[in-house]
Amino acid sequence: MRIVFAGTPEPAVPSLRRLIESERHEVIAVVTRPDAVAGRGRKVTRSPVGLLADEHGIPVLTPRRPSEPEFIEQLTALAPDCCPVVAYGALLPQQVLDIPRFGWINLHFSLLPAWRGAAPVQAAIDAGDEITGAATFQIEAGLDTGPVFGTVTEKIAVTDTAGTLLDRLAVSGAKLLEATLDGVEDGTLQAVPQSNEGISHAPKITAEAAHIRWDLPALAIARRIRAVTPAPGAWTEVDDNRLKLGPVEMVEEELPLRTIEVRKSGVYVGTATTALRLNQVQPQGKRMMAALDWARGARLQPGAVVE
């Protein structure tokens, strides 16, 4: 098939790479979000998907909105058979959805209808799910509501962060996406409507939602930190200074709520249940470091608390 691939961040790269290498499908163009300012140097940077397309000499379209008449004209002229999508980052109007004869097929990182929305991997970890996966489905007007072609499953390890889990799903999902396109082209694969039961939603996680509430149980806090690692990143405040947090460990003892206790064995914080041991932290303007090194340099006063 002649395909136009739509995607933006790093998790979409394995799928694009696999389709570029496919002997059955031809990537005639890529659609990605416009170049944006990123990194400490605040340089204008191409998206990971755009960079891979550039490396292979594939035309890149970067509309500010997919509803722009110029983009619609460009896509119509390309006349793709199908448009696979992985984390593109913008809603597609019906006029655009109608252009390819096989429509737009999305790779979504959950087992639909569970965790529809922008942050399915984060939501699965935060909820304590033991199993998640990826699904390919036909995009329609609703948010992740279209009929499903296929799924793959993935066990969530107790140490998984959103980053490590998404890395695995990006690889297994790429294989699923290619197999889906093969089946659609052959006419051997039919999409099945999603169940009306088990529907859950995973909205985008804001920086404020990553602000840790220490009055929650230790297990809930540990899950939330893993769910928002590496982005947007869990954080708290100590002496009015923002402190980014890496994954933590649960310990079988109690401390006063929000109290920080520094010992030779580590840095501990009291929660609504048992304490948590901090591992890696990142003070403002500095790199990630061992929590004990930070605590010694911060010269915390006895009874110091997190907010």
Side-chain angles (χ1 to χ4, degrees), residues 72-93:
I72 295 173
E73 291 176 6
Q74 290 173 321
L75 190 62
T76 301
L78 287 168
D81 295 312
C82 186
C83 293
V85 186
V86 185
Y88 169 49
L91 294 177
L92 302 165

Side-chain angles (χ1 to χ4, degrees), residues 187-210:
T188 59
L189 187 61
Q190 297 294 322
V192 177
Q194 293 184 35
S195 171
N196 292 323
E197 299 180 356
I199 297 172
S200 51
H201 296 88
K204 182 178 179 179
I205 297 179
T206 64
E208 186 55 39

Side-chain angles (χ1 to χ4, degrees), residues 91-273:
L91 294 177
L92 302 165
Q94 191 62 49
Q95 185 177 0
V96 169
L97 294 178
D98 292 338
I99 292 174
R101 64 189 181 106
F102 290 117
W104 294 66
I105 295 176
N106 191 30
L107 171 64
H108 183 75
F109 297 114
S110 83
L111 298 175
L112 293 170
W115 305 127
R116 295 172 176 171
V121 173
Q122 294 89 334
I125 292 176
D126 197 35
D129 293 354
E130 295 182 356
I131 299 291
T132 187
T136 49
F137 71 94
Q138 191 85 53
I139 294 181
E140 57 181 28
L143 178 62
D144 301 335
T145 58
V148 173
F149 289 103
T151 61
V152 291
T153 59
E154 184 75 35
K155 184 176 180 180
I156 302 177
V158 295
T159 56
D160 265 330
T161 64
T164 60
L165 180 55
L166 189 52
D167 284 346
R168 298 201 304 276
L169 288 171
V171 174
S172 60
K175 298 177 184 178
L176 172 65
L177 180 60
E178 182 183 26
T180 298
L181 295 181
D182 291 349
V184 168
E185 183 180 37
D186 293 340
T188 59
L189 187 61
Q190 297 294 322
V192 177
Q194 293 184 35
S195 171
N196 292 323
E197 299 180 356
I199 297 172
S200 51
H201 296 88
K204 182 178 179 179
I205 297 179
T206 64
E208 186 55 39
H211 185 184
I212 296 304
R213 286 183 49 194
W214 298 98
D215 59 342
L216 295 175
L219 180 59
I221 295 172
R223 287 173 176 168
R224 171 54 61 93
I225 292 174
R226 290 191 293 114
V228 299
T229 300
W235 62 280
T236 190
E237 289 188 344
V238 181
D239 295 335
D240 295 326
N241 294 312
R242 188 158 167 160
L243 185 70
K244 191 172 181 178
L245 305 170
V248 296
E249 294 180 45
M250 297 176 60
V251 295
E252 292 298 326
E253 63 176 289
E254 295 182 9
L255 288 176
L257 183 63
R258 295 192 178 89
T259 298
I260 305 172
E261 188 168 305
V262 182
R263 308 173 189 166
K264 290 182 179 180
S265 59
V267 180
Y268 301 82
V269 178
T271 76
T273 53

Side-chain angles (χ1 to χ4, degrees), residues 268-287:
Y268 301 82
V269 178
T271 76
T273 53
T274 56
L276 291 171
R277 179 165 58 200
L278 307 186
N279 288 323
Q280 296 286 311
V281 301
Q282 183 178 5
Q284 283 184 301
K286 297 185 179 180
R287 297 182 181 276

